[in-house]
Amino acid sequence: MMDRIIKSYKSILTLGLIIVIISFFIGILRMYNQSYLDSIVNEEILRAFTEIIPLFGLGILKLGIGFAIVTIVQNLRATGENATKSFAKTGMKLPKAKSPSLARIFPKLLVLGIIIEIIAVFIAIGWMVAVAEIIDMKLLHTFEVLAETLEGLGVSLLIGGIALGLATIVQLLSKQATFLPANLSELVSGKKQETINTQELFPKWILAITILGMIITATGFLPIAFIRLSTDIWHPLWENWMFVGIGIMLFSIALWLLTIIKWLRAQRENLGKTLSKATKAKISPIEAPLSITRYVKILAAFGLIWMILFFGFAWLGANGSIGQFGPLVRPGKAIGMTMIFVGIGASLVTIVVNLKFTAFLLPGTFGKITRVIKGEKIEDTKNMPMANPMAYAPKKLYLGIILGMIIAVLGTFPLATIRVIVGPTDPLFLIVERIIGTTVALGVGTIFFFIGMFFNSIVTFVKGRRTMISEGVETITFYVSEKTQDKSTSP
C-alpha cells in the first residue's frame, strides 16, 4: 500500500500544483471581495483559507519530491545489493551491506510532516467555521496561531526529510562509486584493491546544518506559538524567524546536491581508471565540471544571507524602526528563497547531465572489461567525446524554475512595492495585500513542481543505471566464475 503511494509521486506533485493554482484564484476572489467590501465575514473566511491552504498545496508538492527521492534510494540500494550478490558468486569476501539509518528515518519524517499539515488544514477549517459563526476573537486567534505554526512544523519535517533523503543518496552513491570499480579491478587483476572509507568522508557538517534548520523552523510551534497565544508578536517577526530555518534547510539541500555531483563524477573517473588498468591503455579524462555548477554556492549563500537580513528588518519593524517600508518585510524574503531555488535548479541540471553521461559510459565499460576477462584484445579504448555537456541539459525544466522565481518575486516587485508607494490609507493598499501571499505561493509551487520533474528524470536514469550495473556485473562475474572453473578442471 505505502509502496504504491510512494510510486505515485507524479500524481502527488500534480495534486499539489492544482491546490496552489486554485488558491491563487481564491486570492483573486479575496481581492474582489475587498474591493467592494461586501462582507467582513467573507473576508475573514477567505483570509483563513489563503493563509493555510496554499501552504498545504506546497506541502503536497514537497511530499511528491520526497517520495521521488525515496524511489531513487530504493533503486540505489537495489543496485548495491545486486552487485554485491554477483561479486559473492566469484568467492569474493565482502562485508555485509547495511542500509543507512537515514534511509529508515527520512520517509517517516515525510509522512509525519504531511500528517501534521493535514491537521493544520482541519484547524484552519475550524478557524473558518468559527468566523462564520462569529465566535469570540480569542478562539479565532487560537485557531489562527495553531494552524500557522503547525503548518510550519510540517514544513520543517517535509523539507528536512527531503534534505535527509539526499544525504542518504550521498551515503549510497559514495559507497558504490568506490567499491564497484575496486571490485571490478580485483576481478581483472586478481589482486585485492584498496578502497577508501566513505563513512569518514560523509559531510557531517552539512547534516548539522540540516538539523539546525529543522530545529529553527520547528520552534515556530514550540515555543513561539504558545508565546503568541498570550502576547502579540508582529507577524513578520515570527514568520521571518521560521523562514531563516527554511533558508538554512534549503541551503543544506544545495550542498547535498553538490556532494551528489562530486560522487557521480568520482564514479565515472574510477570506472575510467578501472578500464585503463584492465586494457593497459590510457583513458581520456572526463569533461571539466559544468560552469553552471560554480554558481550554486553563490546563489544559495546569497539567498540565505538575504533571508537572514530580512529577519533583521522584521526585528527593526517590530520596534517601529523602518517606518513605511514595513509592508516589504513579509514578502521580501521571497527573493532570497527563490535565489536558493535557482541554485538548487542549477545543481539538478548538472546531476541529470552526469547521469546521462553515466548511461553512455556503463555499457561500453562493462563490455570491454568482459572482453578482457574472456582473453580478447581491446584496441579501441577511447571514450565518447563530450564537447558540449550543456547540450544534454534539461533546459526546459530549469526554465520552469526561473518562471516560478519570476512569479514569486512579483509578490515583492511590484505588488509589495505598490503598498509602500500608496501608503496604508489608500484602498489600493488592502486590495494589493490580498493577492501577495497567493502570488508568492504560486511561484514557489511552480518551482517545487519543476524540481519534482527534475527528480522524475533522475528516477528514470537511476532505474536504468540499476539495470545496467546489475546486468553488467552479473555478466562479468559469470565469465570470471567460468574461467576459474576451467582452470580448476584442467589437467
Side-chain angles (χ1 to χ4, degrees):
M1 173 71 178
M2 190 62 195
D3 192 52
R4 194 184 310 161
I5 294 173
I6 289 172
K7 290 178 180 177
S8 302
Y9 61 86
K10 283 193 285 187
S11 299
I12 294 172
L13 286 166
T14 303
L15 175 61
L17 185 62
I18 289 171
I19 292 174
V20 172
I21 292 172
I22 290 173
S23 299
F24 174 74
F25 286 105
I26 293 294
I28 293 177
L29 175 62
R30 186 183 173 204
M31 184 175 67
Y32 176 85
N33 183 72
Q34 176 63 31
S35 299
Y36 290 93
L37 297 174
D38 289 334
S39 169
I40 294 176
V41 172
N42 285 348
E43 160 59 18
E44 285 300 309
I45 291 173
L46 290 173
R47 185 174 79 86
F49 183 96
T50 55
E51 285 288 335
I52 300 300
I53 304 305
L55 300 180
F56 176 61
L58 296 180
I60 293 178
L61 285 163
K62 293 167 204 160
L63 183 69
I65 294 170
F67 280 173
I69 292 173
V70 173
T71 307
I72 292 169
V73 167
Q74 289 173 341
N75 279 277
L76 286 175
R77 192 161 51 192
T79 301
E81 290 171 353
N82 293 343
T84 299
K85 289 177 183 177
S86 295
F87 285 127
K89 293 177 182 178
T90 65
M92 294 180 69
K93 295 181 179 179
L94 301 172
K96 187 177 179 181
K98 294 181 180 179
S99 178
S101 57
L102 291 177
R104 297 188 295 273
I105 294 171
F106 85 90
K108 295 176 182 177
L109 293 180
L110 294 170
V111 174
L112 181 58
I114 201 64
I115 289 173
I116 289 174
E117 292 213 352
I118 290 171
I119 293 171
V121 169
F122 279 110
I123 293 174
I125 293 171
W127 178 9
M128 288 183 270
V129 170
V131 170
E133 297 295 327
I134 317 180
I135 299 176
D136 68 278
M137 294 302 295
K138 186 175 180 180
L139 181 58
L140 292 182
H141 181 62
T142 301
F143 277 134
E144 179 180 358
V145 170
L146 291 178
E148 290 175 342
T149 53
L150 275 174
E151 198 282 330
L153 179 60
V155 168
S156 172
L157 295 172
L158 284 165
I159 298 182
I162 289 172
L164 295 179
L166 295 175
T168 307
I169 291 175
V170 168
Q171 289 179 319
L172 293 168
L173 192 59
S174 61
K175 188 174 182 181
Q176 291 175 23
T178 53
F179 99 88
L180 179 64
N183 288 350
L184 289 173
S185 294
E186 182 175 340
L187 290 179
V188 174
S189 64
K191 298 178 181 178
K192 187 71 176 177
Q193 303 293 309
E194 292 185 8
T195 58
I196 60 174
N197 185 350
T198 55
Q199 289 184 347
E200 294 178 358
L201 297 178
F202 181 74
K204 294 184 178 65
W205 62 277
I206 305 180
L207 183 62
I209 291 174
T210 300
I211 294 172
L212 174 64
M214 293 177 69
I215 291 171
I216 291 175
T217 308
T219 55
F221 178 70
L222 186 69
I224 293 176
F226 295 92
I227 296 173
R228 287 178 61 204
L229 288 174
S230 57
T231 306
D232 186 30
I233 301 177
W234 193 43
H235 197 289
L237 182 60
W238 64 262
E239 185 181 73
N240 280 47
W241 168 251
M242 291 172 65
F243 268 86
V244 167
I246 292 173
I248 292 172
M249 287 190 290
L250 293 176
F251 180 75
S252 76
I253 285 175
L255 296 178
W256 286 124
L257 292 171
L258 287 173
T259 309
I260 289 171
I261 292 168
K262 182 189 80 172
W263 284 114
L264 284 172
R265 289 179 58 82
Q267 182 180 50
R268 291 165 55 212
E269 288 176 342
N270 291 341
L271 283 172
K273 291 175 183 177
T274 297
L275 184 59
S276 178
K277 290 179 182 178
T279 59
K280 311 297 182 184
K282 187 178 180 180
I283 304 296
S284 56
I286 66 173
E287 79 290 342
L290 270 66
S291 58
I292 194 173
T293 314
R294 73 182 66 158
Y295 300 111
V296 175
K297 284 185 180 179
I298 296 172
L299 288 166
F302 174 82
L304 178 57
I305 292 169
W306 183 281
M307 294 174 77
I308 293 172
L309 284 175
F310 265 78
F311 171 69
F313 294 149
W315 185 272
L316 293 173
N319 297 312
S321 303
I322 56 176
Q324 65 175 356
F325 295 101
L328 282 174
V329 173
R330 190 179 180 194
K333 60 184 175 294
I335 295 176
M337 185 166 56
T338 54
M339 285 297 102
I340 301 176
F341 280 129
V342 171
I344 287 172
S347 60
L348 289 170
V349 166
T350 308
I351 286 173
V352 171
V353 170
N354 273 274
L355 285 170
K356 285 184 178 181
F357 288 174
T358 301
F360 297 151
L361 172 70
L362 288 175
T365 300
F366 287 135
K368 289 170 184 174
I369 291 175
T370 301
R371 289 170 62 190
V372 168
I373 290 172
K374 291 167 69 176
E376 298 179 14
K377 186 177 180 181
I378 306 298
E379 296 179 354
D380 179 18
T381 57
K382 294 181 180 179
N383 292 334
M384 181 183 294
M386 304 299 180
N388 183 18
M390 284 304 294
Y392 299 91
K395 297 182 181 68
K396 290 182 179 179
L397 293 180
Y398 193 52
L399 287 175
I401 292 178
I402 299 297
L403 172 64
M405 179 198 73
I406 293 170
I407 296 172
V409 170
L410 284 176
T412 299
F413 302 107
L415 294 178
T417 308
I418 290 173
R419 293 192 301 171
V420 174
I421 295 171
V422 301
T425 58
D426 194 301
L428 185 59
F429 182 94
L430 294 176
I431 292 172
V432 172
E433 183 179 20
R434 278 23 183 187
I435 197 65
I436 289 175
T438 50
T439 300
V440 173
L442 178 63
V444 175
T446 302
I447 291 171
F448 275 131
F449 179 78
F450 281 100
I451 287 176
M453 290 299 100
F454 264 109
F455 279 104
N456 178 54
S457 296
I458 292 170
V459 167
T460 302
F461 283 109
V462 169
K463 285 181 177 179
R465 176 182 177 276
R466 181 192 67 190
T467 301
M468 285 187 282
I469 290 178
S470 299
E471 292 182 356
V473 173
E474 179 67 18
T475 302
I476 290 170
T477 55
F478 170 78
Y479 282 107
V480 169
S481 299
E482 191 177 64
K483 191 175 182 179
T484 304
Q485 188 177 12
D486 289 344
K487 287 182 180 179
S488 63
T489 57
S490 60

